[in-house]
Amino acid sequence: FDTFLAMHQHGYVVPCLCEGWEVLEQGKSFLFKLRTNVLMHDQQPLTAEIVKRAIEKAIRVGHDRLPAAFAAIRGVQEFVDGKTDDVSGIVVRSANSFVIELQESLPIYPALITDSRASIYLQSGEDKANTLIGTGPFKLASFSQNHVVLERSSSYWKSASVPLDSVDFRCGVTSADIASGLVSEKYDLASNLLPQDLETILLNRQLRAGLVEAPKKTTYFAFFNSHSPVGHSQDLRKALSGILRTHDLVRGTLGRFAQPAEGLIPPGIL
């Protein structure tokens, strides 16, 4: 599934389903203009009405865990409470343009809608199984708790051809099974390997030569309670910060499976 806007690998916001956007009211509302060549997986053109319907459906289904991109929209709470039939903050201007009005000014809002949880999709047909449709390069072929199959979409709106016919996801697999699957070539791509299982793979010279690793962007940090009997002392907090050697801690506990952060915000994260 695609989002309105996407995050470039260097961390800035770029167009996706929308070819452009405009900041209104000093960041309290935003005008989005959809591309005219986008088709859903069922071949219907993507319109502003479909976008509004998709967002409202997502809000109704996931109201207890809304992404920030949806929670910030004006009228969401009234819609969730059943006081209104639609979200008043999503205003359709034309077939290909719509405005999102926020509860308060939020200039960084375009970055929030790059979240994959803010993707646009609909449920098609009466059958509730395998009927989620979107605009992405792959469409949902089958879905179960531990097995998902995606097939290439023939109506993908980008001109570049997708080089895969399908993607087969296996979920709920143990780290040991993942490792053995990589060794036997049952799996091509894996995540969440435990350090000892990855080390086992690295002992195989042939596998190690062709192995490609990609790190996750995850940051751990500690808070000091400045109102506690001990933590209120700024000198003590500075001393504790000086004593803790981040590089030694990371290298000593995680070894090659992590790298020390040079700041609170990793590269590429807004």
Side-chain angles (χ1 to χ4, degrees), residues 15-234:
C16 190
L17 291 179
C18 288
E19 63 181 14
W21 70 97
E22 183 180 344
V23 182
L24 307 175
E25 301 180 88
Q26 296 182 324
K28 193 172 183 180
S29 62
F30 294 81
L31 172 65
F32 298 94
K33 185 177 181 182
L34 292 171
R35 299 181 186 273
T36 58
N37 62 328
V38 179
L39 295 177
M40 303 287 287
H41 291 151
D42 63 354
Q43 305 301 310
Q44 65 173 319
L46 179 68
T47 64
E49 286 287 354
I50 288 178
V51 168
K52 178 178 173 68
R53 184 155 38 103
I55 295 177
E56 289 174 346
K57 177 68 174 180
I59 291 172
R60 190 176 295 281
V61 171
H63 61 85
D64 57 340
R65 54 186 186 280
L66 288 178
F70 293 164
I73 301 176
R74 182 178 63 81
V76 165
Q77 192 57 53
E78 292 83 353
F79 177 69
V80 170
D81 293 339
K83 297 177 181 178
T84 58
D85 294 330
D86 66 345
V87 178
S88 58
I90 306 174
V91 182
V92 174
R93 288 279 184 89
S94 68
N96 287 38
S97 65
F98 61 96
V99 172
I100 290 184
E101 301 172 350
L102 307 179
Q103 300 176 42
E104 57 186 29
S105 179
L106 192 60
I108 67 165
Y109 185 73
L112 299 183
I113 58 177
T114 64
D115 185 348
S116 60
R117 295 176 300 162
S119 298
I120 300 303
Y121 65 90
L122 289 176
Q123 204 161 21
S124 176
E126 297 297 327
D127 181 13
K128 299 302 181 183
N130 308 333
T131 55
L132 292 181
I133 59 171
T135 60
F138 293 93
K139 58 184 178 181
L140 197 61
S142 65
F143 177 89
S144 65
Q145 185 175 1
N146 294 319
H147 191 193
V148 180
V149 178
L150 305 182
E151 293 179 348
R152 178 168 54 186
S153 172
S154 60
S155 58
Y156 187 43
W157 57 275
K158 287 187 178 180
S159 57
S161 176
V162 180
L164 294 174
D165 291 325
S166 64
V167 186
D168 192 322
F169 291 91
R170 302 300 173 95
C171 315
V173 184
T174 66
S175 178
D177 288 339
I178 293 173
S180 63
L182 286 172
V183 172
S184 65
E185 300 183 1
K186 179 181 179 181
Y187 302 133
D188 300 304
L189 183 68
S191 64
N192 298 328
L193 272 171
L194 293 176
Q196 61 267 28
D197 292 320
L198 180 55
E199 288 291 359
T200 300
I201 294 176
L202 293 175
L203 292 176
N204 185 313
R205 290 185 178 182
Q206 184 177 357
L207 286 175
R208 184 174 58 191
L211 185 70
V212 177
E213 295 180 76
K216 292 182 177 179
K217 294 176 181 177
T218 305
T219 304
Y220 293 87
F221 52 93
F223 284 110
F224 293 105
N225 183 359
S226 61
H227 297 289
S228 72
V230 176
H232 77 280
S233 170
Q234 185 174 2

